[in-house]
Structure formats: structure tokens, C-alpha cells
Amino acid sequence: MIGDARLLLLLPCNPGVRMGDYTLGQNWRVVLGVVDDLVGSGILDLAAIDSCKPGVVRWGEEHVYRWCDVRPLWHELYKREPWRLELLVAGVAEDLRSLALEYRALAAYVNVRAYRTALELAMARSGVKVHILGPPRLSPLSYRSRRSLEALRRGLMGLARATVTL
């Protein structure tokens, strides 16, 4: 079954989850500034890879994880406790399988090392293709750069055009 939106974009979670609203995070606001028209027209839905679940949390459902304070720091969390990465990979893989039934294409714009690693492992495990649209480097500057955001927009527009014919 295909949902109303043809595309789903996965973003990293942010501290806004503690207040039950991802849009309180600056990175989400930056991306929304680039894709707001696609979201508003129903072409694109947003979700987050989130350590609080662990897995994928749809935008609008983050209130369930209010007051969660799990920061995805590689060296402090996932490297020291590899079982946490395995939990995240398993959760993301399971969620990708169900999301692939709803959307014509899945894309990601993730700059958090743990989340990008988990996403790549989850794609292999689930057999679900996620188009990684950036950023090219796992850094806040790369995430917010005009060049990276323009590439994100172009990638989403290309996926949107491709799904029209499906």
C-alpha cells in the first residue's frame, strides 16, 4: 500500500525530542527551509533515526519519547557498548521493511556517525534501498552548507519525478 506521500526523508533526531517536537532542533529547521513545499504538498514525509526508540520515529510521533535524553555520541555510547548499535540496527531494519511498503522511495540526510552506520547496516540486513542524499561529510558544517542542502533538494526532486512513473 502506498501512502499519500511518495517519499520519506530520514533525518537524525535532535534534542527537540525532549520537548516532543523535532522542529525545535536547528538542523530540522534548516532542512525544512529547503523541503517545506514538498512536505506541504504531500509529496514528502519526514522521520528521524532516533536512539530513544531505537529505530525510526515519524515526525509527529516524537512526543512519545518526550524527556528522552539519549545522545548518539559514537565514542561515548556506541563504541563502548556495541550492543546499543546492534539494537539500533535491528530497530531501523525492522522499520525500513514496514516503511518500504508505504512509500515509493526512502531517502536519508544523516550526518551522525552512529545513525549513518546503523542505516547502512540496516539496509543490508533488510534489503530495503534508502537513497543517501548527504551530507557528504559527517559534520554539522557539511549538514548545513548551501551546497549540501541544494544537493538534497535536487535528489528529492529527482526521486519525486521518478516515483510519478511508478
Side-chain angles (χ1 to χ4, degrees), residues 7-30:
L7 307 174
L8 178 70
L9 177 62
L10 300 171
L11 299 171
C13 72
N14 64 60
V17 73
R18 288 191 298 252
M19 269 69 85
D21 186 357
Y22 286 136
T23 61
L24 295 174
Q26 183 180 6
N27 283 347
W28 269 60
R29 287 195 311 268
V30 166

Side-chain angles (χ1 to χ4, degrees), residues 39-107:
V39 173
S41 67
I43 292 171
L44 181 68
D45 283 343
L46 302 176
I49 299 178
D50 202 317
S51 296
C52 293
K53 185 178 174 186
V56 176
V57 177
R58 294 171 192 251
W59 183 26
E61 296 176 1
E62 65 269 27
H63 63 87
V64 173
Y65 302 98
R66 185 174 295 194
W67 304 112
C68 176
D69 197 13
V70 178
R71 298 191 66 213
L73 301 174
W74 182 261
H75 288 13
E76 293 180 19
L77 193 63
Y78 292 101
K79 185 176 180 184
R80 288 185 184 169
E81 299 174 334
W83 61 270
R84 288 184 185 267
L85 181 61
E86 176 51 36
L87 268 176
L88 184 60
V89 171
V92 172
E94 182 179 332
D95 292 337
L96 289 180
R97 284 187 207 98
S98 63
L99 292 167
L101 299 174
E102 289 184 53
Y103 294 94
R104 294 181 184 174
L106 304 176

